[in-house]
Every structure is written in structure tokens, then in C-alpha cells.
Amino acid sequence: MKHRLVFLSKTPAQLREIADMLAQPHLSGWRWCVVSKHIGDVQRLGVPVASVLLLSNLWGRAWRGGFWGFLLGCLLVLIFTAAFNLEEGVARSILNYSLPISFLCFGAWEGGFVGLTEDNPDLRAFQSYVDEGRLVLLVDVHDIDQRLLKKIMAMCNAEQIADYSRLLPGFPWRQRDLAGAQLG
């Protein structure tokens, strides 16, 4: 199971130390990025910055838009089939397949655009830290590497503020109960 651990770094110097520690060759396979309102300063350090896809609600809205678009397409197929009394044939087959798929694609496309304008709801809890100018690190690791990562972050004086784990594939990160995370 993959986990997303969230840490807080107070200064760019501390972030540089963390980046040097995480850049070691034997720590491959860990994905990590930084959420900050000072993106330019973080990029100058050579540290990966969180992408727009992670910061926005694109995936959540696209999924919902596609789902509701598909349902609307299926409903329209039922209405058109009943209203126009279509018999079995090419016209009915085209209607049965193209309408739901077209609405699914349009709903996902439109939902994605709406999602780009919204902040990721999973990152709202950390927005106050970002607004204060602090650096929020998101690190994805496997179960077996959690303890090592926590020790590395403790050595760099980074504070753990959350632990997210993926409960089901394809669903957003959900927060695990981690009141008072202990590093060590």
C-alpha cells in the first residue's frame, strides 16, 4: 500500500537539506514535491514543485462530470427510443452507443475545466501553512519505507503534519487517523 506523508519545512535552507537527503541513489521510487506560494524560490533550489494536476480538483471533477454525463446520455437514449419509437437497426444502435459515450466525454471534459478552477480539497488542511509562507512537502512511499522516511525527516527537523493512505485504487487520498504524529 502506498502512503502520502505530509511534512512541514520552515526555511529554504531546511528544504535544501531535505532535498539532498532524498536525492540519495538508494532512495529511488519515492515521489515527492513541495507546495508553496513562493514557487520560483523552490524551483531555484532544484526541488520538484507540486503540479497543477495535484493542486487543482481536475481529476475529481472530471470523474464526476463523466459519470453524470453518462447517466444523462443513458436517460436521453431511453427518452428518444420511447418518443420516436425506434426499431432495431442502425439508427437505434448509433443512438444507444454514441449518445452515452458523447455525453460521458463532454461531461469529463467540462468537469475537468471546472476542476482546474478549484483547489484540491485534500490540500485545504495545509493551505494555512502555505499562506504563512511555509513549505509543505508531500512524499509518496511504500509501507516498508515509512519508518526510514520519518527518520530522515526528523534528522532534517521537518515536522510531520499528516499521513494519507490510498484506500481504494482510483479514489482520492483519504486521511488516516494520526493525531499527534510521532517522529522516531
Side-chain angles (χ1 to χ4, degrees), residues 99-149:
L99 211 53
I101 291 173
S102 298
F103 274 80
L104 178 135
C105 293
F106 179 76
W109 178 71
E110 186 66 29
F113 278 126
V114 170
L116 280 173
T117 64
E118 296 177 352
D119 291 334
N120 189 340
D122 293 333
L123 298 179
R124 281 191 194 128
F126 316 119
Q127 191 61 41
S128 61
Y129 296 118
V130 173
D131 291 340
E132 291 173 8
R134 298 171 89 185
L135 307 163
V136 177
L137 283 84
L138 308 172
V139 187
D140 296 341
V141 294
H142 293 284
D143 280 341
I144 198 163
D145 296 330
Q146 269 190 339
R147 200 164 159 193
L148 175 61
L149 175 66

Side-chain angles (χ1 to χ4, degrees), residues 159-181:
E159 176 187 350
Q160 183 178 1
I161 54 177
D163 178 1
Y164 283 68
S165 61
R166 186 167 289 216
L167 299 178
L168 296 171
F171 282 77
W173 294 94
R174 301 288 184 222
Q175 188 170 12
R176 286 182 30 174
D177 188 348
L178 205 170

Side-chain angles (χ1 to χ4, degrees), residues 12-27:
Q14 190 180 38
L15 180 63
R16 180 74 252 162
E17 182 183 358
I18 292 169
D20 291 340
M21 292 291 278
L22 294 180
Q24 297 177 26
H26 66 280
L27 299 179

Side-chain angles (χ1 to χ4, degrees), residues 24-168:
Q24 297 177 26
H26 66 280
L27 299 179
S28 63
W30 294 4
R31 288 184 353 186
W32 66 286
C33 62
V34 176
V35 178
S36 172
K37 71 178 186 179
H38 305 292
I39 295 171
D41 295 338
V42 174
Q43 286 177 332
R44 271 187 235 109
L45 292 172
V47 175
V49 179
S51 70
V52 173
L53 297 177
L54 180 65
L55 296 174
S56 68
N57 193 19
L58 177 114
W59 298 118
R61 284 292 186 167
W63 184 89
R64 279 184 235 125
F67 174 77
W68 289 111
F70 181 76
L71 285 180
L72 178 63
C74 291
L75 180 67
L76 287 175
V77 165
L78 293 174
I79 291 171
F80 286 155
T81 303
F84 296 114
N85 206 8
L86 293 174
E87 298 176 13
E88 291 295 325
V90 176
R92 187 169 178 174
S93 295
I94 290 172
L95 182 73
N96 284 344
Y97 293 114
S98 66
L99 211 53
I101 291 173
S102 298
F103 274 80
L104 178 135
C105 293
F106 179 76
W109 178 71
E110 186 66 29
F113 278 126
V114 170
L116 280 173
T117 64
E118 296 177 352
D119 291 334
N120 189 340
D122 293 333
L123 298 179
R124 281 191 194 128
F126 316 119
Q127 191 61 41
S128 61
Y129 296 118
V130 173
D131 291 340
E132 291 173 8
R134 298 171 89 185
L135 307 163
V136 177
L137 283 84
L138 308 172
V139 187
D140 296 341
V141 294
H142 293 284
D143 280 341
I144 198 163
D145 296 330
Q146 269 190 339
R147 200 164 159 193
L148 175 61
L149 175 66
K150 289 178 183 180
K151 286 184 180 184
I152 289 172
M153 292 299 187
M155 288 176 13
C156 297
N157 295 322
E159 176 187 350
Q160 183 178 1
I161 54 177
D163 178 1
Y164 283 68
S165 61
R166 186 167 289 216
L167 299 178
L168 296 171

